[in-house]
Amino acid sequence: MTIDLKHPATTPEPTWQDDVRAGVRHVRDLSSLPLSPAEREAAQAAAAAHKVRVPKPYLDLIDWNDPNDPIRAQVIPSPDEVVATDGELDDPIGDHAFSPAPRLTHRHADRVLLFPTYQCAVYCRFCFRKESLTSIGRGYTSEALEPALAYIATRPEIREVILTGGDPLSLPDKALAEIRARLEAIPHLRLLRIHTRVPVALPSRITTGLVEALQGRLMVTVVTHFNHAREITEATEVACRTMRLAGFVLLNQSVLLKGVNDKVEVLEELCRELMYRLGVKPYYLHHGDLARGMAHRRTTIAEGQALVAQLRKRLSGICNPTYVIDLPDGGGKVPLAASHIEGRDGETWRIRGQDGKVREYREVTAETSI
């Protein structure tokens, strides 16, 4: 099929609801996948503990002949998930302690997280909020957001609202338009940020109607979640082009996952294609959170530091993400990249270059020249 990238809204494609219905939506749907009896039994046991949902476009990316396929590893339940390891947490980044109202997290002064839904278009096995996503329904209702909106309206220091969840773009256009209008009516808000996996797993959802529902007074930033270059397809290219033409700022945050993207060549291709092909700035590379049952997908911090050090040598600055850890007690995202500062003697610093050599750099300012 030829895709018109200049006029993506006119491209004929199946509706996003059809793509959801044709994928995996329930534990019983796993029986239709090309799994061995032992794999199917293990997957069903893991899916009983944490929801399973995979839209057809994402399911179609899996190479079923490869047991280590990086797409499969992200969405097909594994028996390793039911093995909890000491130190793993139900609330890995401390959302609950910073929730002054239902469906709201206020950890940083100028921005809040707003949870319009706890449902997703795709359930990633490594999700740090999977304990919330597996509780009762909790889809969108305007009434459910009233306490959170009232809280935001009375705090003028808040400039930015981040829609997360769940996946906010799994909601209907009408609900998104209603949320956007309610936020626009709060005069001190400046920016609407949306964290979503939809452009990756369900790109047909990025329609003209969705874009129009989000356009208004507020600046809109969409933070996508690509983890592997195999997720970048003609359909995701159309979805991102549609959002860029609407004036949205596009960023990406990835999670460093063992067996998925923990090779420098894999991350290099991902970051380069995000920027050069999709026009999406690699923003964060997250160290794996302490979600239960995910020890088999976490790297060490030292491994992550070595990977990003190699990336800095291979990629231009705009293609490099910041390697961060989200501290479990609510301390926020902290950069983990190894420091290039080796030491200091007064105004003279010893700095290690990307070639590994340590050089002296003397600060020269009005103060140091006195």
Side-chain angles (χ1 to χ4, degrees), residues 92-170:
I93 66 170
D95 278 341
H96 298 164
F98 294 87
S99 181
R103 298 185 180 234
L104 186 84
T105 295
H106 191 184
R107 185 181 289 111
H108 306 289
D110 67 339
R111 58 201 181 274
V112 295
L113 300 175
L114 183 63
F115 301 82
T117 180
Y118 290 90
Q119 298 173 349
C120 289
V122 59
Y123 289 113
C124 303
R125 309 317 300 174
F126 53 86
C127 181
F128 67 91
R129 289 199 180 107
K130 61 184 179 181
E131 305 295 339
S132 298
L133 302 179
T134 54
S135 57
I136 297 173
R138 294 199 294 175
Y140 170 74
T141 66
S142 56
E143 293 78 14
L145 292 186
E146 288 300 331
L149 293 171
Y151 177 92
I152 295 168
T154 59
R155 284 160 177 80
E157 69 273 18
I158 298 172
R159 295 287 185 268
E160 180 176 341
V161 172
I162 303 165
L163 300 186
T164 185
D167 195 316
L169 295 192
S170 66

Side-chain angles (χ1 to χ4, degrees), residues 308-315 320 353-356:
V308 297
Q310 289 297 310
L311 280 183
R312 290 198 63 81
K313 295 179 181 180
R314 295 172 178 234
L315 295 170
N320 269 285
Q354 291 191 23
D355 57 4

Side-chain angles (χ1 to χ4, degrees), residues 281-301:
K281 169 72 177 82
Y283 173 45
Y284 282 141
L285 175 65
H286 286 263
H287 186 72
D289 293 307
L290 295 175
R292 293 194 187 280
M294 283 294 106
H296 65 292
R297 292 292 173 209
R298 277 191 294 273
T299 69
T300 66
I301 291 175

